Amino acid sequence: MKMNKKWWVFLSAALMALFLAACSYGGEEEAEGEAAASEEAVSGGKVSIPIVADPTFNPWHPSAYAESNVINRVIFDGLTKPGKDLVPAPDLAESWETSEDGLTWTFQLRDDVTWHDGEPFTSEDVVFTFNDITLNEELGANSASYFGQVESVEADGDYTVMFNLSSPVAALPAYLSFNTEIIPEHIFQGEDPWDLTSFNKENPVGTGPFKLKSYTSGQSVVLERNDEYFGDAANLDEVEYKILPDANTHVAQLLSGELSIFALDDTSAVERIESADGVDVDGRDTNRFFWLIVNQQEERFQDVKVRQAMEYALDRQNIIDTVLQGYGTIADAGITPALSEYYTDDVKQYPFDPEEAKKLLAEAGWEDTNGDGFVDKDGENFEIIFDIGIQGDLEAIAQLVQQYLIDVGLDVQLNTMDWNTMIDKVVIQRDYAMTLNWWRYPPDPDLKAYMHSDFAEQGNNIPAYQNEEMDKLLDAGAETSDVEERKEIYTEAQKLMAEELPYMFLWYPQEVQVKRSDIDGVPELAFGDTLHYIQEWYMAE
């Protein structure tokens, strides 16, 4: 397969065992910290990165997704961050440990951190971020689904915090490394965290290696080096984020030298980029799966035969071979092959089979009774509005999906919109029938945030899937730190995912990372993870 030529290397079992040991008991040995810049590193220069829409400078804001994460990881810091070996590494926390019963995690914080406005960072900022923002169910904070078992966070002095849990969460240090950065209490106290425009859209204050220099809506965000950063000062002078919705523009500006580095969303251009001078192309493994979802709050989508029919209707391999240029493998459940310790392909699979799709639709009561080419029930066609946000190759993929579903009798109408409008409509308002997108998650098989009934109304369970058996499996997997027990639990969970299809799983993509050859110091990680080490990047002489 073409994919095999693109450096698809799975994480080893030994790495995952190491990860779980550190994640579960994070104990007393600290994970590897930041690497010092190499002797060749030089100070100065600027890199430019594309984003598709105006960002929100608040990692917890319900509208802060892909376009915001790549900036917030640079402005703000979390308690932990992804290590270069994917084991959670220290960031604002220097070390952590858990109690014998797994119900209390204690984090020791750095005592040399200041916010960009000069105020000191303390445990009160962590307590505020979690108690007042994350755990406030009325707010519906982004990523709050990760912390459903956290009852409270309390300070023990200025530089120690304790997370009190209702049940053990083996993956807590991993979750704290993933889009869960700390925000300043002294600015947000007493304010509505979502309406504080002066921060969220104008002047964010973080602790990270870069701080805001300028922001022009619809054009760019420019960050400058934070000389008061607690770690080694960044080599680069500036990081510019250019707001460019069109993926073709990303490619053109990369080739012209106007853009520096990013994860390529539209892989149709990869061969042209590979043949260009001064540009490097690398495949990176990620914990990510693409999905098609239907709103299971609608009765017609609660019938699993309908969801299975839709899966059979899709020629996923053709999309991988054509649109993705081979950078992916078919997905049948949510745990990716990169998590080799837990992944299994011994699950129900859905080869491209339009006739089986039509058969299942008929068994669910949907047949073409009037010969118009569309299946119907009680005189109504099976009509679906298919909402898509414009980003990368999503629209091209959606057009193929639309045609495959029309071919088996579903009346699918594509509704494209800008990215931020899609986030508001689909993710926040839950006002949709069908959509297509992806999830990227920390290197742990705990998928409660995406499939558990607790998060069906508000959280990352956007399809609103609810199943008591799945809940029990996800709860059990989250609570145990024993690798062998977790293997058994998540094998059963994957089998249930493949049968039930909370998501119509599409593929596990391999990220295509592109960068100008004159940029060095970028660790061999997925692009989103490299941003946690942006202070190490430099322009080669």
Side-chain angles (χ1 to χ4, degrees):
M1 290 178 61
K2 185 172 183 179
M3 173 204 66
N4 293 328
K5 300 178 182 178
K6 304 298 184 181
W7 313 278
W8 184 275
V9 181
F10 297 141
L11 294 176
S12 68
L15 172 61
M16 280 311 302
L18 174 63
F19 165 73
L20 281 168
C23 178
S24 300
Y25 298 105
E28 298 177 355
E29 293 185 8
E30 296 180 16
E32 178 186 354
E34 297 173 5
S38 68
E39 292 181 1
E40 294 80 14
V42 294
S43 182
K46 179 181 79 171
V47 296
S48 295
I49 298 168
I51 56 176
V52 300
D54 282 320
T56 299
F57 305 121
N58 182 337
W60 299 98
H61 198 289
S63 65
Y65 277 84
E67 74 297 330
S68 303
N69 295 339
V70 292
I71 301 178
N72 289 334
R73 289 173 189 167
V74 175
I75 295 177
F76 303 95
D77 294 290
L79 294 184
T80 66
K81 65 182 179 182
K84 292 179 180 178
D85 54 4
L86 296 185
V87 175
D91 202 2
L92 292 174
E94 294 183 303
S95 63
W96 49 89
E97 62 182 0
T98 187
S99 58
E100 286 190 16
D101 61 8
L103 297 179
T104 301
W105 284 84
T106 302
F107 292 81
Q108 301 298 330
L109 308 179
R110 298 184 66 113
D111 62 4
D112 58 351
V113 181
T114 59
W115 293 97
H116 292 160
D117 61 5
E119 290 293 317
F121 160 79
T122 72
S123 56
E124 292 302 323
D125 295 302
V126 180
V127 170
F128 173 82
T129 297
F130 284 93
N131 287 346
D132 290 62
I133 306 296
T134 315
L135 303 183
N136 185 341
E137 294 184 3
E138 293 182 1
L139 291 177
N142 202 358
S143 297
S145 301
Y146 295 144
F147 303 101
Q149 280 67 54
V150 178
E151 293 186 331
S152 66
V153 179
E154 60 181 300
D156 181 10
D158 287 342
Y159 301 106
T160 302
V161 293
M162 293 172 290
F163 282 68
N164 302 310
L165 312 180
S166 59
S167 57
V169 179
L172 184 65
Y175 287 150
L176 290 169
S177 73
F178 192 74
N179 302 329
T180 56
E181 291 84 14
I182 306 303
I183 58 176
E185 179 195 31
H186 67 276
I187 293 178
F188 278 93
Q189 184 68 54
E191 302 285 349
D192 185 317
W194 307 157
D195 290 342
L196 191 59
T197 302
S198 59
F199 188 103
N200 299 331
K201 287 292 185 180
E202 295 174 2
N203 185 32
V205 174
T207 57
F210 287 86
K211 58 186 179 181
L212 186 70
K213 179 179 180 181
S214 66
Y215 169 40
T216 304
S217 177
Q219 296 185 30
S220 69
V221 178
V222 179
L223 307 182
E224 61 183 351
R225 180 172 52 237
N226 171 23
D227 291 326
E228 305 304 319
Y229 181 58
F230 58 84
D232 291 332
N235 297 306
L236 297 169
D237 291 329
E238 293 182 352
V239 179
E240 176 187 33
Y241 295 87
K242 301 179 72 172
I243 300 169
L244 303 168
D246 182 20
N248 293 321
T249 305
H250 298 182
V251 174
Q253 292 200 9
L254 173 75
L255 297 178
S256 68
E258 297 170 80
L259 288 174
S260 307
I261 180 172
F262 55 93
L264 186 68
D265 286 326
D266 184 356
T267 51
S268 64
V270 70
E271 291 185 3
R272 181 157 63 107
I273 296 172
E274 286 176 330
S275 64
D277 292 333
V279 179
D280 299 329
V281 181
D282 290 294
R284 302 289 189 217
D285 300 324
T286 64
N287 291 312
R288 189 160 68 132
F289 65 93
F290 271 69
W291 40 258
L292 178 73
I293 59 172
V294 289
N295 190 339
Q296 294 181 46
Q297 291 183 330
E298 296 187 22
E299 183 177 355
R300 57 183 178 159
F301 294 129
Q302 293 169 4
D303 191 329
V304 69
K305 289 183 178 180
V306 169
R307 303 196 298 274
Q308 290 177 340
M310 295 172 76
E311 190 82 281
Y312 276 119
L314 305 177
D315 191 346
R316 293 174 288 167
Q317 190 61 55
N318 180 59
I319 298 176
I320 292 169
D321 292 341
T322 56
V323 182
L324 273 65
Q325 298 292 298
Y327 282 90
T329 55
I330 286 176
D332 293 301
I335 295 176
T336 73
L339 294 174
S340 58
E341 189 81 359
Y342 298 100
Y343 169 77
T344 179
D345 60 3
D346 184 20
V347 299
K348 181 177 177 62
Q349 299 179 357
Y350 297 84
F352 177 51
D353 191 340
E355 293 308 311
E356 181 67 15
K358 293 175 183 177
K359 176 185 173 184
L360 286 168
L361 286 172
E363 290 177 5
W366 295 95
E367 297 184 86
D368 181 7
T369 61
N370 58 13
D372 67 352
F374 296 115
V375 297
D376 57 82
K377 182 191 289 188
D378 299 328
E380 298 289 335
N381 280 1
F382 203 134
E383 296 181 352
I384 307 174
I385 303 298
F386 186 10
D387 290 332
I388 286 292
I390 298 173
Q391 169 150 305
D393 49 20
L394 286 184
E395 186 174 6
I397 293 168
Q399 289 169 348
L400 287 172
V401 169
Q402 176 191 28
Q403 189 57 54
Y404 290 137
L405 296 179
I406 288 174
D407 289 345
V408 299
L410 300 176
D411 186 0
V412 179
Q413 302 166 40
L414 197 60
N415 179 36
T416 60
M417 62 196 76
D418 70 82
W419 184 257
N420 282 345
T421 299
M422 182 279 296
I423 292 294
D424 182 70
K425 185 175 189 291
V426 174
V427 178
I428 299 176
Q429 304 298 329
R430 300 294 212 261
D431 177 20
Y432 79 100
M434 184 169 75
T435 192
L436 184 153
N437 222 304
W438 74 88
W439 284 129
R440 179 174 178 266
Y441 55 93
D444 187 272
D446 182 355
L447 295 177
K448 278 189 69 169
Y450 310 100
M451 301 180 194
H452 198 285
S453 299
D454 286 352
F455 309 115
E457 297 294 331
Q458 192 177 70
N460 289 342
N461 183 356
I462 299 174
Y465 172 74
Q466 299 186 61
N467 180 285
E468 186 175 347
E469 183 181 356
M470 181 69 78
D471 290 348
K472 290 178 179 178
L473 288 169
L474 294 175
D475 285 338
E479 292 175 12
T480 183
S481 59
D482 182 271
V483 176
E484 293 305 316
E485 286 184 31
R486 289 187 116 210
K487 281 183 184 179
E488 294 179 9
I489 292 166
Y490 285 118
T491 294
E492 292 304 309
Q494 287 171 89
K495 290 180 177 180
L496 186 58
M497 290 176 204
E499 288 281 352
E500 279 280 303
L501 297 180
Y503 297 75
M504 274 76 81
F505 300 101
L506 298 178
W507 47 78
Y508 309 112
Q510 189 185 33
E511 179 184 277
V512 182
Q513 190 179 123
V514 295
K515 74 176 183 68
R516 301 295 304 178
S517 302
D518 59 354
I519 303 171
D520 271 330
V522 181
E524 294 183 2
L525 297 169
F527 179 66
D529 293 338
T530 68
L531 293 166
H532 293 283
Y533 297 88
I534 198 168
Q535 66 273 16
E536 298 179 13
W537 300 8
Y538 63 94
M539 307 302 297
E541 291 185 319

